[in-house]
Amino acid sequence: MTDGTKTRAADVLALQRAARKGGSRAVLTWLAERSRADMQLVSAYGAVLSSGRVPQHAADRTVREAVQQGLRDLTRKGARSMAIDVHDHTVFLYPLDCPGNVLAPVLTAVTPRADTGGPAPLLADAASVLSLCWKAEHAERLRPRLETAEKRTREVVLHLLMNGHIVAARQVAGALRPPLPDTIRVSVIEGTPAARDEIAARLAAADPQAWIVPCPVYDGHLIVLTPEAGTTHATDPLPRACTPTAMDRCWAGVSEPVTLQDTATGYAQAVHALAAARHRTDRRASFASSPDLPLAIGPAATAWAADFLAPLRDCSTRRPQDPDSTELLATAASWLSFSSHATKHLKIHRNTLSARLKHIARQLDLDLDRIADQSALAFALRAVTTAHPAGTTPGPAPHGDTAGRHLDDLLTRPAATRWARIQLQPLTAGDPSCELAPTLKAWLRHDARIDATAGALSLSTTAVRKRLTRAEAVLQRSLLRPPTARHELWLAQRALDLTAICAEDISRPGWPETS
């Protein structure tokens, strides 16, 4: 091996060491010291991307013009290298290898003119090393953008599912993996950012079929959509997804199996289960199944809901930018679920949300500050989206049936009374102190306002909040943090009041025992 070959081999090894330690900038610095030349990495348009040291010769105006001309010639001729003599200097240009859809940066070197080839062999070797460095650095620069794009795309899919746009959700989800299953369980995991990140990473590795979406509304929540079919741990996402340390900092609630059309219902179930999990030592809970009021009442509920929502469905927009009936219904559903956090869910300004709610209230003749009107709207939206048994379709209420016109007529039906007893019965058996039922009843009577409830019961707001937190554990429903069960509970209490089940008919104060 000749001395020249040994020197070149040593230079290549030195280039590789510099690349491993500091990337392209370290390579350029080593080249500048090795060749005593001005080393720069420039874009195809001449913008300096990186340099090895403060330029000396390259600052000359004639040299700069020669570099610009060389870049144009490289593009026009497709040459792999070029050398240009300018007065007492030589400009070397070596385009790097890069993906075909990206303009290749160019390694430029300005050296005093030499009679021999000068640093040309060294620059050729350096161009190969720099190509690999630049590809790796370019990919690293793109990674945060790709991660953000995937996160936003998953949020869009979740948003479409929550609003019932299944076809559009499947189309958008087709750009990612895995495909959306027909039947899912929704899990909501709450915890510290570090624990949630660990769970997300481990769950993605353990279950490639799971859809994992950071909650766009609550920073502390992670939403997981797991296929029901073929999943052995669908009801318990934590043990297989994280370490004991992470489990000590997280709680998980899991829904029943639901179809994609009912993703919003599955999410609400998971939040209710999460409220129960906060009071359990194993830090996880599955949704405690209960009858659904629209299904219990039957087609009359759907007929009433269609009549109730007709003014909103039939309203026309006066301006192209005004929301149509579909957007207004989605806004109402989001606000009932998330309250003021609907702005994050819908990605709209709070003034836009306020204007839409005023329009909805005006069209439906409601006072949305009252829990009674909120509950009626929530029941109507639930009734029109409730899945009916296969082979049946909801029809209009029978002729002369006033249930199509009045919610109270629906709530006086025996099926509604039975449903109400089931909803509220746990408080009679799970509250030895007999203080939760009256507190919850007063809270509902005062439009779910803690301050008004505290005044009515002569308690502090902290005491009321503590009692409602205990009621969450007994009912296994979320009460204080949206989405809550306040509307269902109001409907249940209204049904019992309308059927004249009074305090003297029960053995405990507040709610009737089930027969």
Side-chain angles (χ1 to χ4, degrees):
M1 180 181 296
T2 63
D3 292 340
T5 304
K6 291 180 181 179
T7 301
R8 186 172 184 181
D11 288 342
V12 170
L13 291 175
L15 286 169
Q16 293 177 350
R17 285 194 296 270
R20 287 196 302 270
K21 291 181 179 180
S24 59
R25 182 175 292 276
V27 172
L28 291 174
T29 300
W30 184 89
L31 279 174
E33 294 175 352
R34 174 71 173 79
S35 61
R36 301 299 178 185
D38 293 343
M39 296 291 175
Q40 292 182 329
L41 200 60
V42 301
S43 70
Y45 302 104
V48 178
L49 304 177
S50 183
S51 60
R53 63 177 183 179
V54 177
Q56 298 177 1
H57 311 299
D60 183 84
R61 180 171 177 271
T62 305
V63 172
R64 292 201 308 270
E65 292 176 352
V67 170
Q68 293 290 342
Q69 182 61 44
L71 293 174
R72 291 191 291 268
D73 291 343
L74 284 175
T75 302
R76 178 171 53 86
K77 298 178 181 180
R80 299 303 305 158
S81 64
M82 184 173 293
I84 304 173
D85 289 331
V86 181
H87 302 310
D88 296 332
H89 300 90
T90 300
V91 178
F92 294 92
L93 299 98
Y94 286 84
L96 306 186
D97 294 328
C98 64
N101 60 343
V102 179
L103 290 176
V106 178
L107 171 63
T108 64
V110 181
T111 66
R113 185 183 298 181
D115 296 334
T116 61
L122 178 61
L123 294 176
D125 294 332
S128 298
V129 175
L130 281 171
S131 295
L132 296 176
C133 289
W134 189 85
K135 289 178 182 178
E137 292 166 356
H138 181 66
E140 187 63 23
R141 285 191 295 269
L142 290 179
R143 185 174 60 83
R145 295 170 56 187
L146 294 175
E147 290 177 350
T148 301
E150 181 176 357
K151 176 183 175 182
R152 296 288 176 85
T153 303
R154 289 182 179 273
E155 284 186 14
V156 169
V157 172
L158 180 64
H159 179 79
L160 292 171
L161 289 175
M162 294 281 280
N163 287 290
H165 303 302
I166 308 305
V167 175
R170 288 188 180 277
Q171 290 174 344
V172 177
L176 301 175
R177 290 293 184 270
L180 292 172
D182 295 326
T183 305
I184 60 173
R185 285 184 187 267
V186 183
S187 302
V188 176
I189 300 172
E190 180 183 64
T192 62
R196 286 185 289 108
D197 292 344
E198 178 184 342
I199 290 172
R202 290 178 177 270
L203 186 57
D207 193 350
Q209 298 302 311
W211 268 77
I212 305 168
V213 187
C215 182
V217 177
Y218 298 117
D219 294 336
H221 286 184
L222 188 70
I223 301 174
V224 183
L225 309 183
T226 309
E228 169 61 15
T231 302
T232 58
H233 301 283
T235 61
D236 195 4
L238 285 183
R240 64 197 176 108
C242 63
T243 63
T245 302
M247 282 192 291
D248 290 342
R249 293 174 290 160
C250 283
W251 297 263
V254 186
S255 74
E256 295 179 318
V258 295
T259 64
L260 282 181
Q261 185 70 36
D262 291 325
T263 299
T265 299
Y267 172 75
Q269 290 180 356
V271 171
H272 292 318
L274 180 63
R278 296 190 188 104
H279 304 276
R280 297 179 55 168
T281 56
D282 58 355
R283 295 174 171 263
R284 70 211 70 192
S286 297
F287 179 70
S289 178
S290 64
D292 190 79
L293 181 57
L295 283 177
I297 294 175
T302 305
W304 172 85
D307 182 62
F308 181 86
L309 296 173
L312 196 60
R313 289 184 178 276
D314 297 339
C315 71
S316 58
T317 58
R318 292 180 297 177
R319 301 176 300 173
Q321 65 268 31
D322 290 340
D324 57 16
S325 60
T326 301
E327 286 183 280
L328 291 175
L329 290 170
T331 300
S334 179
W335 179 73
L336 289 170
S337 294
F338 299 112
S339 186
S340 60
H341 293 287
T343 54
K344 295 182 179 179
H345 179 227
L346 298 173
K347 301 296 188 293
I348 59 177
H349 193 271
R350 63 178 182 274
N351 292 343
T352 302
L353 176 64
S354 178
R356 290 186 183 182
L357 292 176
K358 290 179 181 178
H359 183 62
I360 292 169
R362 186 167 54 251
Q363 290 293 326
L364 298 179
D365 192 21
L366 299 176
D367 181 0
L368 293 181
D369 291 329
R370 298 178 61 246
I371 193 173
D373 288 3
Q374 295 175 20
S375 300
L377 179 56
F379 175 71
L381 292 172
R382 178 62 183 152
V384 297
T385 57
T386 296
H388 291 265
T392 65
T393 55
H399 181 68
D401 190 347
T402 58
R405 296 193 301 272
H406 302 293
L407 176 59
D408 284 353
D409 293 331
L410 293 177
L411 296 179
T412 56
R413 298 191 172 204
T417 303
R418 289 192 297 269
W419 172 85
R421 288 174 178 268
I422 294 173
Q423 298 301 307
L424 301 173
Q425 188 273 340
L427 283 182
T428 62
D431 179 23
S433 65
C434 299
E435 63 184 16
L436 298 186
T439 302
L440 183 60
K441 195 172 184 178
W443 182 66
L444 294 172
R445 188 168 57 247
H446 290 87
D447 295 321
R449 290 165 46 218
I450 291 180
D451 55 348
T453 304
L457 297 177
S458 299
L459 297 171
S460 68
T461 57
T462 301
V464 172
R465 191 178 297 275
K466 287 182 177 179
R467 289 187 181 184
L468 292 176
T469 301
R470 287 168 51 200
E472 285 185 332
V474 174
L475 293 171
Q476 297 189 44
R477 296 291 186 272
S478 175
L479 299 179
L480 298 176
R481 189 171 188 178
T484 73
R486 65 181 66 180
H487 302 128
E488 291 181 356
L489 295 177
W490 185 92
L491 291 169
Q493 173 59 30
R494 180 66 174 173
L496 296 181
D497 290 343
L498 290 172
T499 52
I501 301 180
C502 303
E504 61 267 20
D505 298 325
I506 58 176
S507 59
R508 291 181 183 270
W511 306 112
E513 299 273 7
T514 55
S515 57

